[in-house]
Amino acid sequence: MEKMTKRKLQAIESRKHILDTALELTRKRGFEKASIQDICKEAGVSTGAFYHYFKSKDEIVMGWFDRCDAYFKEVVIPQLKDGSSYEKVISYISSLAEYAKDTGVEYITVIYRAQLQVDNEIFLHGKRAVPDGLKDLMTQGQDAGEFRRDITAREMTDEILTVFRGTVLNWCWSKGGYDLEKNAVRIVARYLTAFQKHFD
């Protein structure tokens, strides 16, 4: 493993500071109204420093997804060792909902809105830890004889995440008016039964 130098650690902290500032500013003003100049002024950095870490303002949104992916890859996925594949998928969805809830309905609303304004191909089809982690769980379930094989693991993953995103969007519309984790688990659990392999 490559040793982290003081310079690299400073770079990570600088990028994090800009990202945090940008997210806070877009939460207050909206994604379209928070300019790069505004972000730089609020963060106390030069425009050149911004472009050193982010190619465009769109990458601020991607920065949130990178952070989420890193958390699931390093923390959530390694912990999913015990239980059936069904239980692991439900635990995974619970963790996703908890992460969104901890991030806050204001931030999530900004992120969802911003996705409609930027190239969202990376969010739906890109190589990301969150969807790939769920696909691995579905594949494990197929290998264990728990999930159907007439539907691919990728198809099942895409459908589950579509249902989950809809639940989160509805939560945003309600201004966080209900327990996201509880509702996401309940709805996905009902949907997941369609993928279970039933024996006569």
Side-chain angles (χ1 to χ4, degrees):
M1 182 181 293
E2 184 180 358
K3 185 177 180 180
M4 296 294 288
T5 64
K6 184 177 180 180
R7 186 169 182 174
K8 287 182 179 179
L9 289 173
Q10 288 176 336
I12 291 173
E13 284 301 313
S14 296
R15 187 180 189 280
K16 179 180 181 299
H17 173 62
I18 295 173
L19 177 60
D20 289 342
T21 302
L23 287 174
E24 179 62 23
L25 201 59
T26 53
R27 183 185 68 80
K28 292 178 179 178
R29 301 185 184 180
F31 183 76
E32 65 284 352
K33 292 183 180 179
S35 68
I36 290 177
Q37 289 72 23
D38 292 334
I39 293 169
C40 292
K41 182 178 179 181
E42 192 75 14
V45 300
S46 66
T47 304
F50 178 94
Y51 282 111
H52 178 73
Y53 297 108
F54 302 97
K55 293 180 181 178
S56 67
K57 194 173 73 169
D58 294 350
E59 285 200 359
I60 293 297
V61 180
M62 197 59 226
W64 184 86
F65 282 91
D66 288 341
R67 185 177 291 179
C68 180
D69 283 340
Y71 175 74
F72 271 76
K73 183 177 181 179
E74 297 167 9
V75 179
V76 176
I77 294 174
Q79 293 179 347
L80 296 174
K81 297 178 180 179
D82 301 322
S84 66
S85 295
Y86 176 91
E87 291 170 334
K88 290 177 182 178
V89 171
I90 293 301
S91 179
Y92 200 79
I93 293 300
S94 177
S95 296
L96 269 175
E98 183 180 17
Y99 190 91
K101 184 171 63 176
D102 289 345
T103 299
V105 67
E106 296 90 354
Y107 279 136
I108 298 300
T109 300
V110 166
I111 290 163
Y112 266 53
R113 185 183 295 120
Q115 285 182 61
L116 298 176
Q117 300 174 31
V118 303
D119 180 6
N120 64 5
E121 184 176 354
I122 185 66
F123 306 126
L124 297 177
H125 307 294
K127 186 72 174 176
R128 293 187 46 229
V130 167
D132 282 352
L134 180 56
K135 183 180 75 69
D136 288 343
L137 293 177
M138 301 308 296
T139 300
Q140 291 170 22
Q142 288 180 317
D143 293 341
E146 294 182 46
F147 296 141
R148 297 162 51 177
R149 285 188 170 275
D150 59 325
I151 307 173
T152 67
R154 174 57 68 187
E155 287 177 307
M156 291 189 286
T157 297
D158 288 345
E159 290 186 23
I160 290 171
L161 288 179
T162 297
V163 171
F164 176 76
R165 291 189 192 104
T167 306
V168 176
L169 181 59
N170 190 68
W171 177 68
C172 291
W173 280 335
S174 73
K175 306 297 183 183
Y178 59 82
D179 189 324
L180 175 61
E181 187 176 356
K182 181 179 179 180
N183 277 268
V185 166
R186 174 175 55 82
I187 293 170
V188 171
R190 289 177 179 174
Y191 198 89
L192 190 58
T193 59
F195 296 139
Q196 286 183 292
K197 186 173 181 180
H198 299 285
F199 299 94
D200 297 327

